[in-house]
Amino acid sequence: MPGPLLVDALALPRYDLGVDHPFANFRQEPLFDLLASHRLVGATERFVPPPATVAELTTVHTADFVEFLQALDTRPTRELIRHAPLFGMGTADNPIAPGQHAAAAAAAGGTLACMRAVLRGEASAAFNPTGGLHHAMPGSASGFCLYNDLALAIVEALAQGIERVAYIDFDVHHGDGVEWIFREDPRVLTVSLHETPDRRWPFTGRVGDMGRGRGEGSALNLPFASRTTDESWQTIARTVLEAAFEKFRPQVLVTQHGCDPHFSDPLADLCLTTASFDFAAQLSRELAANHCEGRWVATGGGGYQPIRVIPRAWTMTWCAVADRALPSTIDPQWHARWSDRAAGDLATTFLDAEQEFAGSEAAAIANAAMLEEVRRTHPLLR
Ligand SMILES: [Zn+2]
């Protein structure tokens, strides 16, 4: 029996957007330190994938965009930098930094390698914590995302003869890039759970957006009210995903585990605790087992508490991918190593202590109405 695989994020190149940018370049370090502290990853389970090649990147991205990012790495002339906004670069969200093409191609190569290993039966399931860059569009960067690793992996699965791929996006922001890329493709079901577009960037992902043309019905959006808490989110996630998978019958699953729906996240306003991240990981495992013969590629994504939340959230993802028990308390030595750098109190347990959030009842009522609308209108749930 093949075991699980984990992309060795610490061995991949990265870039630095500066201390004020939320996409912290050290965000993988506390995670890998936590995994090591609890001895959760075997030596043969950690692997260093090759970067995605230009030929692979252009299965999703335009040649212009890939050439532009490559040129930015090798010869960033003033002329080139002047053109950056055409490609979504040089903005507040996507500033220009040395080594971006190399780092983004490495992250994309990770998700691609995970997909290949899963399809070949070389891995029971696989996790790329550097992947999950769901906002990237074919011709431009968006929302801290340069290359859309998720779309690359899905395209690879289709190229290998897989007939139906399901994608679940748990990030607090709408998975707009992946949805847009496959909006007319009936072979790819994209499901996104996010904070309502009335309040949250990128302001897309309404219940009525279900795909286009032949792809009508293959996008499924669950926009949650601000202040949503665990119970409402989990109930709706399970109800909708189980019903949609029953009808769509996917053969492989790709998931994005952005942990920015956490109540402490500075970039959004959902109120989930880490219990929902564990729930999302376990539900994904269950859906992959019941529908996809276990074939599952998981990725990271957003999450802007690199010490307080990411390490716990993605340890949960890895434990589900590897089918390993989650420890309950955090290794005290890890805690001692990172508590000075954490902004605010650092938890000593994987699950957050239960909390109450103002406005969560109104959110639950709005979410129940949203679920009714999905049930009434979406072809996979009617
Ligand atoms: Zn996000």
Side-chain angles (χ1 to χ4, degrees), residues 4-9 28 31-32 45 47 49 107-119 123-134 149-151 153-154 165-170 252-258 277-278 280-286 288 292 294-302 313-323:
L5 283 177
L6 174 70
V7 170
D8 188 351
Q28 302 290 340
L31 165 68
F32 276 74
E45 293 168 353
F47 81 113
T111 308
L112 205 47
C114 285
M115 178 58 84
R116 287 179 178 144
V118 163
L119 293 180
S124 51
F127 178 33
N128 177 15
T130 70
L133 302 169
H134 59 166
D149 58 296
L150 302 151
I154 293 169
V165 183
Y167 168 70
I168 311 173
D169 189 311
F170 295 109
V252 61
L253 173 62
V254 178
T255 53
Q256 198 268 23
H257 297 264
F277 304 145
D278 191 37
Q282 294 298 334
L283 178 62
S284 300
R285 178 174 181 79
E286 214 178 290
C292 311
R295 286 188 291 262
W296 174 28
V297 173
T299 71
W314 294 348
T315 295
M316 291 166 169
T317 310
W318 168 249
C319 284
V321 164
D323 198 15

Side-chain angles (χ1 to χ4, degrees), residues 9-10 12-32 92-95 97 100 103 129-131 133 143-145 259-260 265-267 301-311 314 338 341-343:
L10 299 187
L12 300 188
R14 50 185 138 165
Y15 51 85
D16 190 357
L17 298 177
V19 287
D20 293 332
H21 196 284
F23 205 73
N25 87 325
F26 73 95
R27 69 207 288 267
Q28 302 290 340
E29 288 170 26
L31 165 68
F32 276 74
D93 273 4
N94 299 296
Q100 275 171 311
T130 70
L133 302 169
F144 322 155
C145 302
C259 52
D260 42 11
D265 198 275
L267 295 196
Y304 304 98
Q305 289 284 10
I307 304 172
R308 293 176 68 195
V309 179
I310 287 180
W314 294 348
W338 291 97
R341 282 182 73 180

Side-chain angles (χ1 to χ4, degrees), residues 134-135 171-173 260 302 304:
H134 59 166
H135 298 306
D171 194 284
V172 79
H173 302 97
D260 42 11
Y304 304 98

Side-chain angles (χ1 to χ4, degrees), residues 47-133:
F47 81 113
V48 183
T53 63
V54 170
E56 288 165 344
L57 291 168
T58 51
T59 60
V60 165
H61 293 285
T62 63
D64 277 4
F65 178 49
V66 177
E67 263 167 43
F68 169 79
L69 284 183
Q70 264 187 314
L72 216 48
D73 266 15
T74 51
R75 42 181 175 83
T77 60
R78 237 182 246 167
E79 174 70 9
L80 203 65
I81 290 167
R82 238 199 335 266
H83 284 110
L86 290 175
F87 299 102
M89 296 291 293
T91 61
D93 273 4
N94 299 296
I96 294 167
Q100 275 171 311
H101 163 79
T111 308
L112 205 47
C114 285
M115 178 58 84
R116 287 179 178 144
V118 163
L119 293 180
R120 282 194 206 114
E122 292 166 2
S124 51
F127 178 33
N128 177 15
T130 70
L133 302 169

Side-chain angles (χ1 to χ4, degrees), residues 231-267:
E231 196 188 337
S232 167
W233 191 86
Q234 291 180 19
T235 306
I236 291 175
R238 180 176 284 283
T239 306
V240 170
L241 287 166
E242 281 179 349
F245 272 50
E246 206 56 61
K247 233 172 173 173
F248 185 75
R249 296 180 298 113
Q251 296 161 312
V252 61
L253 173 62
V254 178
T255 53
Q256 198 268 23
H257 297 264
C259 52
D260 42 11
H262 193 261
F263 65 84
S264 74
D265 198 275
L267 295 196

